[in-house]
Amino acid sequence: MLINKKSIISFGLITCMLMPKIDLIPVPGYHQGLRYDDLILLTGLIYILLQRKIFLHVFPGRNIYFVFYGVILAYGILSLYEFGFISIIIGLRWLEYSIFYVLLFYSSLNSGQIRKFIIAYILINCIFVSTQYFQIMGGIYSHGYIENVSSRVAGITGGSWELSAVLSLFTVSLIYDKHLKYNKKFIMIIISTILIYLSSTRTGMV
């Protein structure tokens, strides 16, 4: 089988989403350090910049997506005095998710495969969130395994905030997907909404 740049990008993106989010490099003074998915997406950003071209259609909602991100970043800046630099980090985390969308365009995955992956990702998280909520199993966070996360479930992500953020972006993608039937959209929206609610994050509620 031929291994090319698009296949490598696809493998990296799937790894980012499905593998446990473990810190590789600790950052002094911060609860979360640099993870392998951060390094993968940073490498992806360098690759994107070398292409010297970014298409708006890779983002759900196109121009609306940037309005949404602008509001998130503005909120982070305005909250700088009250919450410190962590509010800016949250804005940068959304930028990291944006890189993920652009890399999808450069991957070997077609729209149908991406659709199936998103649906599978939501369903996988549904299973893990259920087991976490009923305290059957814990969650693997950036700083290690936590036995009881029933009050703020994380699924297979690195934290409850990340679960709500990723599910929100993926759900928007399904909403804008013209090839997905309305009944399936409705089911995915309901499941994602329940999972986001169980994450108990303010970001998810917004």
Side-chain angles (χ1 to χ4, degrees):
M1 183 178 69
L2 179 63
I3 299 178
N4 53 34
K5 289 186 292 186
K6 289 188 175 182
S7 299
I8 295 174
I9 293 174
S10 300
F11 176 79
L13 292 178
I14 293 174
T15 300
C16 282
M17 300 310 301
L18 298 181
M19 294 295 289
K21 310 301 187 294
I22 304 297
D23 284 353
L24 293 180
I25 305 174
V27 178
Y30 291 96
H31 188 63
Q32 180 178 304
L34 292 176
R35 309 180 314 202
Y36 67 86
D37 53 314
D38 296 321
L39 300 179
I40 291 175
L41 292 178
L42 176 60
T43 304
L45 174 61
I46 296 174
Y47 176 80
I48 292 170
L49 294 176
L50 291 176
Q51 307 310 304
R52 301 180 182 180
K53 187 179 294 185
I54 298 177
F55 300 97
L56 289 180
H57 71 270
V58 302
F59 298 99
R62 300 192 179 186
N63 294 347
I64 299 177
Y65 179 88
F66 294 96
V67 174
F68 167 75
Y69 176 73
V71 171
I72 293 292
L73 187 59
Y75 176 79
I77 295 174
L78 294 175
S79 304
L80 187 61
Y81 176 77
E82 183 175 356
F83 298 104
F85 192 67
I86 189 66
S87 61
I88 301 296
I89 293 179
I90 291 176
L92 293 177
R93 179 65 73 180
W94 280 102
L95 178 60
E96 187 174 1
Y97 298 146
S98 303
I99 296 172
F100 180 87
Y101 273 113
V102 180
L103 286 175
L104 278 176
F105 176 76
Y106 289 109
S107 73
S108 60
L109 301 173
N110 57 43
S111 59
Q113 291 170 328
I114 293 174
R115 183 187 311 115
K116 291 178 181 178
F117 174 77
I118 290 177
I119 293 175
Y121 181 81
I122 293 175
L123 295 178
I124 290 172
N125 270 291
C126 182
I127 295 173
F128 275 83
V129 165
S130 298
T131 60
Q132 291 169 356
Y133 181 75
F134 291 105
Q135 301 184 29
I136 299 174
M137 64 179 295
I140 301 177
Y141 284 61
S142 301
H143 47 279
Y145 180 79
I146 298 181
E147 186 173 350
N148 186 359
V149 294
S150 58
S151 61
R152 291 173 65 90
V153 296
I156 61 172
T157 69
S160 55
W161 185 92
E162 185 172 336
L163 174 66
S164 63
V166 174
L167 287 180
S168 298
L169 290 175
F170 276 1
T171 303
V172 170
S173 299
L174 294 180
I175 291 174
Y176 276 92
D177 189 344
K178 297 179 181 179
H179 300 286
L180 185 64
K181 294 181 179 180
Y182 285 105
N183 60 336
K184 291 184 179 180
K185 287 185 182 182
F186 182 75
I187 293 173
M188 289 298 106
I189 290 172
I190 293 299
I191 293 176
S192 295
T193 301
I194 294 174
L195 298 183
I196 290 172
Y197 174 78
L198 293 178
S199 71
S200 302
T201 58
R202 290 188 296 271
T203 303
M205 296 303 103
V206 174

